[in-house]
Amino acid sequence: MNVTQEELEALVAECGPYTVQGQVATYIPELAKVDGGLLGIAVCNSDGTFVSAGDAETLFTVQSVSKIITLAFVLETFGEDYVFSRVGMEPTGDAFNSIAKLEETVPTKPLNPMINAGALAVTSMLPGDGAEDKFDRLRGFIADLLDIEVEMVRFDPEVARSEYETTDLNRALLYFMRHHGVIEGDVEEIIDVYTKQCAILTNCRGLAMMGKILSQSGKTPAGRQVISRRNARIIRAIMTTCGMYDASGEFAVQVGLPGKSGVSGAIVACGRSDYDMGEIGIGVFGPALDMKGNSIAGTKMLELLVQRHP
Ligand code: DON
């Protein structure tokens, strides 16, 4: 299936008005400065061509979309048995930063790699020696996926610092998990890497490329296998069940594609022939969020796009 530029332009025009119903994230002070009226979409089509509309070239930080990249990296590096011995694969139905289920689950294990507790556990597994080396290796992994120079994988130091200075809840999750033996190592080092991975800069096209690789079972548009078929399937499954947090069920009904959101307003979605969409990758940016932290107009665009390709 190939989506046209005109279709995407119509979606942006139609869904633009929804942006006023949402609010930009403010709990990371730097994110509060972003214009909530922005809206963009890019698609990497079945034939590998890119189409985009609206603010598709605007750079933003990936935030929680980074969780699928770190998950891919640790799965590729250590294998699924090791990764899932430390983090579960069940949805929570709780907010992304909730601590509630961590205390209820005995023995303690974060329920899935998309909520903050699980994602922090995944970050603690990244290979490398110290925060700088770990983050550099993650950048190298991303550069390999996207077939670009590692220098092109950049992060926004202001956003990273802003979150580093304010992220006591994530610190609390890490201390709790270290107490219970779920993670090892230095909490500040994990927070340093995590806040930088969340602040990695991309645009809708970068997200669409990520979606495309996952929808093509780990292959780039040029046919290079960069993530194993099995790991791509695991990541798509976890996106479907947990990618939109406590809105994952509603997203599955209304959109029906594996998706992953970030509080910057980013969403990656993967079309697949088993979802009648062909192997396409979709990247959305709309920083005005709904109550659950997902892009309000971005989700609407995905809903309409899927409806128009029944
Ligand atoms: O841990 C945090 O709070 C953020 N850096 C990422 C959270 C996020 O994007 C949740 N997504 N909707």
Side-chain angles (χ1 to χ4, degrees), residues 10-274:
L11 281 179
V12 171
E14 224 169 313
C15 297
Y18 286 93
T19 59
V20 298
Q21 293 177 19
Q23 300 224 306
V24 298
T26 52
Y27 77 97
I28 299 174
E30 276 298 306
L31 290 186
K33 298 178 182 170
V34 176
D35 174 3
L38 295 169
L39 187 62
I41 184 165
V43 172
C44 183
N45 274 316
S46 291
D47 65 5
T49 55
F50 276 94
V51 282
S52 62
D55 301 300
E57 299 300 321
T58 305
L59 287 178
F60 50 85
T61 58
V62 288
Q63 296 302 326
S64 284
V65 170
S66 65
K67 294 170 181 174
I68 55 176
I69 303 168
T70 49
L71 178 62
F73 192 22
V74 297
L75 283 170
E76 290 291 308
T77 309
F78 300 112
E80 65 183 280
D81 290 347
Y82 176 78
V83 173
F84 291 116
S85 70
R86 292 175 169 232
V87 59
M89 48 178 95
E90 297 301 335
T92 66
D94 294 330
F96 69 89
N97 53 6
S98 175
I99 200 166
K101 290 273 185 344
L102 252 194
E103 199 170 15
E104 283 170 17
T105 317
V106 181
T108 305
K109 184 169 157 179
L111 275 181
N112 69 68
M114 300 293 106
I115 51 168
N116 281 11
L120 287 160
V122 167
T123 296
S124 80
M125 295 178 212
L126 287 175
D129 186 14
E132 203 178 321
D133 185 35
K134 287 180 180 183
F135 187 59
D136 279 349
R137 289 192 198 205
L138 178 62
R139 287 173 64 219
F141 178 71
I142 297 169
D144 182 49
L145 293 184
L146 303 181
D147 203 11
I148 56 175
E149 295 299 318
V150 69
E151 292 72 32
M152 289 175 72
V153 182
R154 295 184 296 116
F155 74 102
D156 183 330
E158 294 304 312
V159 174
R161 190 183 45 78
S162 181
E163 182 171 14
Y164 186 86
E165 286 171 358
T166 54
T167 192
D168 284 344
L169 190 49
N170 283 332
R171 283 190 175 83
L173 289 167
L174 282 167
Y175 280 113
F176 189 90
M177 289 193 288
R178 195 172 69 177
H179 173 85
H180 287 285
V182 183
I183 63 147
E184 291 143 22
D186 181 51
V187 165
E188 288 308 311
E189 180 185 303
I190 300 167
I191 288 286
D192 187 9
V193 179
Y194 178 77
T195 51
K196 284 179 180 147
Q197 78 176 54
C198 287
I200 288 171
L201 287 162
T202 191
N203 57 19
C204 291
R205 196 184 157 96
L207 296 182
M209 180 67 151
M210 190 65 211
K212 175 73 172 170
I213 291 169
L214 291 171
S215 74
Q216 284 198 160
S217 298
K219 277 189 185 167
T220 64
R224 201 164 50 93
Q225 192 84 46
V226 285
I227 298 173
S228 73
R229 284 184 74 81
R230 168 77 184 163
N231 287 340
R233 197 172 76 80
I234 290 173
I235 296 163
R236 289 197 313 270
I238 287 180
M239 288 167 76
T240 302
T241 52
C242 316
M244 309 297 283
Y245 309 109
D246 43 339
S248 298
E250 189 181 341
F251 190 83
V253 171
Q254 302 297 0
V255 179
L257 305 176
K260 179 76 208 86
S261 63
V263 285
S264 52
I267 307 177
V268 170
C270 310
R272 291 263 305 165
S273 43
D274 38 336

